[in-house]
Amino acid sequence: QVQVEESGGGSVQAGGSLRLSCRISGLRLDRYSVGWFRQAPGKEREGLSCIRSNEETIYRGDSVKGRFTTSKDSIKSIVYLHMTRLSPEDTATYYCAATNGICSVYSTDMYYYWGQGTQVTVSS
């Protein structure tokens, strides 16, 4: 049984940093890619990054590239999202998801296993 659990969310002031963790059990990170997504109230779920089984990482451009970094510890089976220079526009529920298909930051269709999300709130 595959389980995906995000943690590390919370409240932070603008300009601050957070590190989110995505703990996955029941599958091997050397065979699956893991994506990070977020969803703000009233908005669609937005892809942020995806780290492949070989640790190659892709990022969505515009607002997060250069501020957010994804890494993983395959031994612990945890994928991280390091977020810096946070702004109120980053306030959202953050999700991670796993796929053995295409690593994408523009679609959620190929991700099979999802966590319940962790809330990030950035105040000005």
Side-chain angles (χ1 to χ4, degrees), residues 44-119:
E44 292 188 353
R45 193 163 294 190
E46 173 189 30
L48 302 173
S49 68
C50 183
I51 185 164
R52 297 186 172 103
S53 56
N54 64 0
E55 301 199 23
E56 289 180 345
T57 306
I58 59 173
Y59 295 94
R60 192 182 185 109
D62 51 48
S63 64
V64 302
K65 194 170 184 179
R67 298 191 301 125
F68 291 8
T69 304
T70 294
S71 62
K72 70 177 179 179
D73 184 330
S74 294
I75 296 176
K76 295 181 179 179
S77 198
I78 300 176
V79 177
Y80 300 101
L81 182 66
H82 306 259
M83 305 186 295
T84 64
R85 291 180 280 141
L86 288 164
S87 72
E89 289 70 32
D90 296 314
T91 295
T93 301
Y94 284 70
Y95 300 88
C96 61
T99 177
N100 63 354
I102 296 172
C103 202
S104 173
V105 293
Y106 295 103
S107 175
T108 61
D109 293 348
M110 62 287 297
Y111 292 90
Y112 309 130
Y113 306 106
W114 289 84
Q116 295 300 306
T118 185
Q119 177 67 36

